[in-house]
């Protein structure tokens, strides 16, 4: 059986869907990476019962992008903000 590929190239509509900021090459303007706007704006959520403090690093991804992994990051690291964000209409998410 063939294994389903989960990787993809940059899909501009997913920037709004997952709260991502594209990183573009200076000369060509091609997307060379993505950063999590939730990490940048709010930081990561603290896990209950954890002995370590959450990292302050902003999560970034390079191509080919696996949007399933991006969704896992957003759901796991930004639980409350992600729920609030999903409750918004598409137009409000863009703002």
């Amino acid at each position: 059986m063939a294994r389903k590929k989960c990787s993809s190239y940059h899909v501009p509509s997913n920037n709004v869907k997952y709260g991502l900021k594209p990183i573009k090459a200076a000369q060509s303007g091609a997307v060379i990476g993505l950063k999590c706007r939730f990490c940048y704006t709010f930081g990561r959520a603290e896990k209950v019962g954890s002995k370590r403090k959450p990292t302050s690093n902003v999560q970034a991804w390079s191509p080919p992008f696996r949007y399933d992994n991006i969704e896992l990051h957003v759901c796991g690291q930004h639980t409350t903000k992600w729920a609030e964000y999903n409750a918004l209409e598409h137009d409000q998410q863009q703002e």
Side-chain angles (χ1 to χ4, degrees):
M1 247 172 141
R3 187 174 165 181
K4 183 181 174 186
K5 290 182 88 177
C6 296
S7 61
S8 174
Y9 292 99
H10 180 247
V11 180
S13 63
N14 283 344
N15 292 346
V16 175
K17 183 178 178 181
Y18 295 115
L20 302 171
K21 179 180 183 196
I23 304 165
K24 296 185 178 185
Q27 294 177 347
S28 66
V31 175
I32 58 171
L34 295 172
K35 283 191 176 186
C36 177
R37 287 185 190 257
F38 290 100
C39 286
Y40 183 77
T41 307
F42 306 111
R44 296 187 186 208
E46 194 168 325
K47 293 181 182 177
V48 177
S50 178
K51 294 182 180 181
R52 299 178 186 205
K53 76 174 201 171
T55 182
S56 59
N57 295 343
V58 175
Q59 181 69 45
W61 297 273
S62 58
F65 305 110
R66 290 193 49 192
Y67 288 99
D68 56 333
N69 284 346
I70 293 172
E71 187 172 1
L72 283 173
H73 163 77
V74 177
C75 291
Q77 297 295 319
H78 311 290
T79 314
T80 55
K81 294 294 181 184
W82 177 244
E84 292 173 18
Y85 186 74
N86 277 335
L88 297 174
E89 296 293 326
H90 181 74
D91 297 335
Q92 293 173 324
Q93 288 179 349
Q94 288 181 341
E95 294 175 6

